[in-house]
Amino acid sequence: MIQKNISLAQYTTFHIGGKAEFFAEIKRKEELGEVINFAKKHKLKIFILGRGSNVLLPDKGIKGLVLKMSIKGIIFQDNIVYAGAGEKWDKVVAMAVSKNLGGIENLSLIPGTVGGAVYQNIGAYGAELKDVLESVDVFDIKSGEIKKLSNKECLFAYRTSIFQKSAGKNYIIFGVILKLSTIFFPNIKYPDLTKNFNLYSHYDRALDTISKITLNEIRKAVIKIRKSKLDYPTASIGTAGSFFKNPVITISNFQFLISNRPDIKGRDLGNGLVKLSAGQLIEMAWWKGKQFRNVGVSEKHALVLVSYKKAKAKDILRLANKIQKSVKTKFGVTLEPEVKIYGKHGIM
Ligand code: EPU
């Protein structure tokens, strides 16, 4: 079951990554105990990989044991859904929409697995996973026990959770329970969606029209928008979606920023903070569509970095670094990676 020297590039959507010293694909939760005992016996660090759609793995590879999470299973019971961590996230969304259950339709076509969705608290078009998540089933590496974490215990925030913090690093997510709704009101406030349904600024006057929009119509619209705006990985082009997080700055810093550049967009978070669009700042710094040998910035969306044949993690990192420096110099704003970057010292 445990293999040696497996190339990880084939398991990431950037198509980048060296070899795993040890590698095991986990298909049933019962296999976890055995594999973890092996890691403990040989003092190996454990690294969990889902679909590899939000990671940049080191060219040197990973020392330790890489577990590819492939536990499957989707069970619906009324409005409750249980999904294995290795299931494709979008399969769960498609099934929920076909059963007329609301809450995750705005999260359509997000690449990756259910486990990755929880780890990252995925969000798009005005929805976040944390809003429908009931609990998460985990395997505690330290104690060997199986535990259930409540939504609150997962410490969800913008693109993060307990699983990214030291308190959660011993947990392996193997399943998740979501609570969806049988009665829902279409969530189409996100500008791209409002526009798609031809409502523009008439949102408040069109509640009757909005209430008639079906879950399937929203799913179709989100898929259409995502396909038109975001590059998806193909055999020859790699990407991991948004490379940076949208930065959050204070209102006073925002006011200073727009006094020079009134076109900079910001969303007031209501707590003295404003969220900027990293994509807009990167575009304003002239990076959109730029190509450098085997890596580049997407022509469609400046927040997405792309890799071509033979690209290395170091090429992506060099480009990301240059973008960070130029946005910092131009706007005084720090961009933090959204993609999880692994180096020889662990997560960077
Ligand atoms: N924008 C530009 N230039 C660009 C890209 C965007 O000016 O090249 C502007 C747009 O005009 C828009 C604003 O930036 O006004 C926001 O753009 P968009 O709606 O595309 O969303 P985003 O903030 O760039 C976030 C998520 C995406 C998610 C979309 C849709 C993050 C880091 N990214 O992007 O998530 O799909 O919203 O909700 O929060 C991902 O995490 O991998 C991801 C793709």
Side-chain angles (χ1 to χ4, degrees):
M1 188 176 173
I2 295 169
Q3 299 167 278
K4 279 192 90 172
N5 293 325
I6 298 295
S7 165
L8 294 170
Q10 60 184 317
Y11 295 117
T12 72
T13 58
F14 256 139
H15 310 313
I16 287 176
K19 288 181 177 167
E21 188 186 9
F22 293 97
F23 179 90
E25 186 169 1
I26 303 291
K27 295 194 172 151
R28 294 182 309 120
K29 73 168 188 287
E30 292 73 25
E31 293 165 356
L32 277 170
E34 191 185 323
V35 178
I36 283 159
N37 282 342
F38 174 88
K40 279 184 176 165
K41 195 168 144 199
H42 296 88
K43 296 194 166 50
L44 301 173
K45 274 189 129 183
I46 296 170
F47 176 92
I48 315 286
L49 196 58
R51 171 63 189 96
S53 57
N54 205 47
V55 291
L56 182 63
L57 302 185
D59 301 319
K60 276 187 177 167
I62 291 189
K63 249 183 102 60
L65 172 64
V66 174
L67 296 187
K68 179 160 166 53
M69 178 50 67
S70 296
I71 295 174
K72 298 275 164 62
I74 304 175
I75 304 164
F76 280 86
Q77 197 171 32
D78 303 324
N79 61 328
I80 303 292
V81 49
Y82 172 86
E87 279 291 356
K88 210 174 146 194
W89 167 255
D90 197 49
K91 191 174 165 192
V92 180
V93 180
M95 285 175 78
V97 168
S98 74
K99 289 176 187 296
N100 217 25
L101 292 171
I104 50 176
E105 60 284 358
N106 292 35
L107 303 177
S108 287
L109 209 67
I110 295 185
T113 57
V114 166
V118 174
Y119 180 87
Q120 193 66 0
N121 180 26
I122 54 168
Y125 305 102
E128 258 186 316
L129 181 63
K130 73 167 173 52
D131 299 331
V132 294
L133 186 136
E134 268 294 288
S135 60
V136 180
D137 291 333
V138 298
F139 184 95
D140 185 340
I141 298 175
K142 232 175 171 177
S143 67
E145 285 168 27
I146 280 175
K147 292 182 180 163
K148 196 179 268 303
L149 301 190
S150 68
N151 181 312
K152 212 170 159 204
E153 285 170 318
C154 291
L155 306 178
F156 290 122
Y158 172 54
R159 294 297 198 276
T160 192
S161 66
I162 189 170
F163 309 104
Q164 300 191 27
K165 301 183 171 83
S166 55
K169 72 171 192 304
N170 281 310
Y171 294 145
I172 298 178
I173 302 165
F174 66 85
V176 57
I177 293 178
L178 310 178
K179 193 175 181 179
L180 304 177
S181 43
T182 45
I183 302 165
F184 60 89
F185 193 82
N187 173 6
I188 58 157
K189 275 199 175 161
Y190 197 89
D192 280 346
L193 276 176
T194 315
K195 201 165 128 199
N196 177 85
F197 288 101
N198 295 321
L199 292 162
Y200 298 95
S201 56
H202 308 305
Y203 190 88
D204 293 330
R205 280 185 280 136
L207 291 183
D208 193 43
T209 316
I210 295 169
S211 68
K212 295 196 176 75
I213 297 172
T214 65
L215 289 176
N216 199 35
E217 282 166 341
I218 298 180
R219 174 165 166 80
K220 276 194 180 153
V222 170
I223 290 176
K224 190 175 95 186
I225 297 164
R226 286 190 77 92
K227 282 191 171 162
S228 71
K229 285 202 158 185
L230 295 163
D231 279 296
Y232 276 82
T234 63
S236 51
I237 300 173
T239 140
S242 300
F243 194 87
F244 299 103
K245 286 186 184 174
N246 282 330
V248 174
I249 61 172
T250 60
I251 283 197
S252 54
N253 280 348
F254 180 64
Q255 276 155 357
F256 177 73
L257 207 55
I258 54 171
S259 64
N260 292 320
R261 296 292 302 257
D263 47 342
I264 290 181
K265 292 174 192 166
R267 190 162 62 85
D268 192 342
L269 298 179
N271 52 356
L273 298 171
V274 175
K275 196 183 255 185
L276 306 175
S277 294
Q280 185 194 26
L281 300 180
I282 298 170
E283 179 171 352
M284 284 173 138
W286 303 106
W287 288 98
K288 196 171 183 172
K290 288 265 166 66
Q291 275 200 33
F292 305 88
R293 294 203 313 162
N294 44 21
V295 294
V297 180
S298 165
E299 284 174 9
K300 292 187 193 168
H301 201 297
L303 201 44
V304 177
L305 302 191
V306 289
S307 60
Y308 305 101
K309 282 254 152 74
K310 297 213 169 90
K312 296 279 178 211
K314 68 172 187 328
D315 303 321
I316 290 281
L317 287 175
R318 197 177 298 135
L319 173 60
N321 236 301
K322 283 187 186 165
I323 294 173
Q324 281 169 316
K325 276 192 185 143
S326 106
V327 168
K328 182 82 186 168
T329 310
K330 273 205 156 60
F331 307 108
V333 174
T334 306
L335 293 183
E336 279 176 20
E338 193 265 345
V339 165
K340 296 292 156 220
I341 301 168
Y342 295 84
K344 61 177 191 283
H345 305 297
I347 268 190
M348 291 195 286

